[in-house]
Amino acid sequence: GDVLIGEEKAKMIVFDANCNGVFGETGSMAGSKLTQGDKVWVGTGNISLEDAYVESLPLGKYFLHEGSYYDISITPENFAEVVPSDVKLGKVEVSSPGFLLELREGNDVLYISNTEGGELDIPVGDYEVTTPGFRRKEKGKIWELQGEPGSTKIPFSVSEGNTTEVAVGPPLKLVVNHTMRREGTGFVVSLKFEIQGSKGEKYKYLRKNGQKVKLPEVVIKNEKGKEVKTGHFEYG
């Protein structure tokens, strides 16, 4: 439906991403476990539900829209109420544009994103990056690199009026790890493909317009250089 965000009239679609029949629930942390919340899309013009879901962002403690923070709530009658948040702000800077970070502050989850790079306002607090990610739009296509939850813990603090650098993301490394076990009179070798960031964080999926991108091909050769097996690495 239509909502008023500040002085701007926009369209909002809320998705029941955790499939429990309740709209407007935010993500939350209990110990190291994340409880999935809902997702929200805000924009103008016509868009299909499928495309809106691809572009939607998870709903966290605050709703971030064009650099400003809002409180969002869904009434029992499924009406959305969006009001500016009265929070003190500092700034974070991530070295690469297009970051989408899932942060933990106590039991609350906050999602921040910046498509243009540079500094971004963020509520004052002590945070930990629980899942890093990146999203960029190029020539009408949306590219996403989704981090692997729990692959790293990056704590940082944000104070009012100051800028904190958060070092995640590029340069990325494409790494192939292997394990070997004896089986019968021979050995079985397992190969695992990983995308790793500058702080050792791991990225789980690469998507284009919501669809997983095929991973690189692997070619196995014998001691004489003859190909004996080819295929693609797989996710998971």
Side-chain angles (χ1 to χ4, degrees):
D2 294 330
V3 293
L4 192 64
I5 303 178
E7 297 181 355
E8 175 190 357
K9 187 176 182 181
K11 291 184 177 180
M12 174 180 285
I13 302 174
V14 180
F15 295 94
D16 181 19
N18 54 5
C19 302
N20 65 353
V22 180
F23 290 87
E25 292 188 324
T26 60
S28 62
M29 299 291 297
S32 60
K33 184 178 180 181
L34 169 68
T35 300
Q36 170 71 50
D38 293 332
K39 299 183 72 176
V40 61
W41 174 88
V42 173
T44 56
N46 296 321
I47 190 171
S48 68
L49 287 177
E50 292 81 5
D51 290 341
Y53 190 82
V54 170
E55 295 188 25
S56 65
L57 294 176
L59 190 58
K61 182 178 182 180
Y62 303 105
F63 171 61
L64 175 62
H65 179 65
E66 295 187 353
S68 298
Y69 287 89
Y70 297 85
D71 294 318
I72 178 174
S73 61
I74 308 296
T75 69
E77 296 79 21
N78 288 334
F79 288 101
E81 297 178 343
V82 182
V83 296
S85 290
D86 184 19
V87 292
K88 296 180 180 180
L89 299 175
K91 293 181 181 293
V92 294
E93 182 177 5
V94 177
S95 56
S96 179
F99 62 84
L100 171 60
L101 304 180
E102 176 187 276
L103 308 177
R104 173 178 180 169
E105 184 190 20
N107 292 328
D108 292 319
V109 178
L110 176 68
Y111 299 93
I112 61 172
S113 62
N114 189 355
T115 58
E116 303 300 328
E119 297 180 349
L120 178 71
D121 289 331
I122 179 175
V124 168
D126 297 316
Y127 296 96
E128 184 178 271
V129 178
T130 54
T131 305
F134 291 85
R135 172 184 291 191
R136 293 181 184 173
K137 203 168 190 178
E138 182 179 327
K139 297 180 180 179
K141 297 180 176 62
I142 298 175
W143 293 86
E144 295 176 285
L145 187 60
Q146 178 185 334
E148 183 176 330
S151 64
T152 189
K153 292 183 178 180
I154 304 174
F156 65 95
S157 297
V158 176
S159 56
E160 187 174 6
N162 294 317
T163 299
T164 301
E165 183 179 356
V166 181
V168 294
L172 301 175
K173 294 190 298 183
L174 307 183
V175 179
V176 177
N177 295 315
H178 77 279
T179 58
M180 184 170 61
R181 73 176 189 275
R182 183 182 291 276
E183 188 169 295
T185 58
F187 295 89
V188 175
V189 178
S190 299
L191 303 176
K192 182 180 180 181
F193 178 83
E194 290 183 348
I195 304 173
Q196 296 182 3
S198 59
K199 289 299 180 180
E201 75 275 16
K202 299 175 183 178
Y203 294 88
K204 192 173 184 180
Y205 298 118
L206 176 62
R207 289 188 175 95
K208 181 176 72 171
N209 291 340
Q211 301 296 316
K212 292 179 186 176
V213 175
K214 184 178 289 188
L215 290 177
E217 186 180 56
V218 58
V219 178
I220 300 175
K221 299 180 180 181
N222 62 18
E223 65 274 12
K224 296 181 180 180
K226 181 180 178 180
E227 292 184 10
V228 295
K229 188 73 174 178
T230 62
H232 282 83
F233 285 103
E234 297 181 359
Y235 292 103

